């Protein structure tokens, strides 16, 4: 039996962004706990066209993201805190999931969703965390009890690891909770 399938959605179009690096660490933590993972990072998100439910139909990238969310046992969302809310590329990815609305289990229905926010200040991180949790609820998901709010300034060392153990703990806790809830959900009759 294979482990839960956990997808990561987030980052920024900037290569090496702290948000995407934090998300990659969370997915690595999930892999160590037995998950299969897939990252939809900033470069992928930047290629998503602005969501338009018109007759043209979804792009291949939009269809890929929607299919992965339908298949996923859990999701980890990561966004920078921009002016107290999530970034446009992450919001557009979430809007794209409107493609799942007619499925038996649309959006994040019943799935655990962990949140990682990076920002250059605690106020932006806290406000963004609350905004993303509200979106998860609206999309029928279960936000994990713990959400990581990270100060992006000087977050990683040269090897790509967190400089502070408290930051590594936050990222690992989000991943662990998504895994725990995905496993509990899998055991449901």
């Amino acid at each position: 039996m294979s482990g839960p399938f956990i997808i990561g959605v987030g980052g920024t179009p900037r290569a090496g962004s702290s948000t995407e690096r934090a998300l990659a660490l969370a997915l690595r933590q999930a892999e160590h706990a037995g998950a299969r993972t897939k990252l939809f990072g900033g470069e992928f998100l930047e290629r998503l066209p602005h969501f338009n439910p018109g007759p043209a139909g979804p792009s291949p990238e939009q269809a890929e993201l929607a299919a992965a969310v339908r298949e996923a046992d859990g999701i980890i969302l990561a966004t920078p805190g921009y002016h107290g809310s999530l970034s446009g590329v992450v919001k557009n990815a979430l809007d794209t999931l409107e493609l799942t609305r007619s499925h038996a289990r649309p959006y994040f229905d019943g799935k655990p969703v962990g949140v990682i926010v990076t920002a250059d200040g605690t106020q932006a991180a806290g406000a963004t965390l609350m905004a993303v949790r509200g979106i998860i609820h609206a999309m029928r998901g279960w936000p994990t009890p713990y959400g990581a709010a990270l100060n992006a300034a000087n977050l990683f060392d040269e090897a790509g690891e967190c400089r502070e153990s408290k930051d590594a703990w936050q990222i690992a806790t989000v991943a662990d909770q998504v895994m725990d809830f995905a496993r509990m959900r899998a055991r449901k009759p």
Side-chain angles (χ1 to χ4, degrees):
M1 183 162 138
S2 61
F5 179 47
I6 308 298
I7 65 167
V9 178
T12 70
R14 184 177 52 81
S17 75
S18 57
T19 306
E20 191 166 327
R21 290 165 72 183
L23 179 57
L25 285 176
L27 290 177
R28 190 169 72 200
Q29 176 73 17
E31 288 170 0
H32 287 311
R36 298 171 294 120
T37 67
K38 181 162 184 165
L39 172 66
F40 292 92
E43 184 180 318
F44 177 89
L45 299 181
E46 187 177 36
R47 290 193 316 265
L48 289 173
H50 288 284
F51 180 68
N52 178 352
S59 72
E61 291 87 357
Q62 288 172 317
E64 180 184 358
L65 177 63
V69 168
R70 281 193 308 271
E71 183 185 339
D73 298 301
I75 297 102
I76 301 174
L77 295 176
T79 183
Y82 288 165
H83 311 289
S85 196
L86 65 162
S87 71
V89 294
V90 173
K91 179 65 168 80
N92 185 53
L94 296 174
D95 290 346
T96 295
L97 298 179
E98 188 65 17
L99 294 171
T100 69
R101 78 178 289 164
S102 63
H103 292 256
R105 304 217 43 211
Y107 314 114
F108 298 141
D109 188 39
K111 297 178 184 189
V113 184
V115 182
I116 298 171
V117 177
T118 60
D120 285 336
T122 54
Q123 185 172 353
T128 302
L129 182 60
M130 295 307 296
V132 175
R133 285 175 180 261
I135 292 168
I136 294 166
H137 281 289
M139 295 179 76
R140 305 178 192 179
W142 294 89
T144 56
Y146 192 82
L150 305 167
N151 186 339
N154 209 24
L155 182 59
F156 297 103
D157 63 21
E158 298 75 29
E161 299 296 325
C162 291
R163 291 185 189 278
E164 301 284 336
S165 60
K166 65 180 176 54
D167 296 327
W169 179 87
Q170 288 190 71
I171 292 167
T173 299
V174 168
D176 290 345
Q177 288 184 353
V178 169
M179 287 293 291
D180 289 345
F181 290 113
R183 285 184 176 124
M184 282 190 268
R185 185 174 174 263
R187 288 193 296 265
K188 281 179 70 174

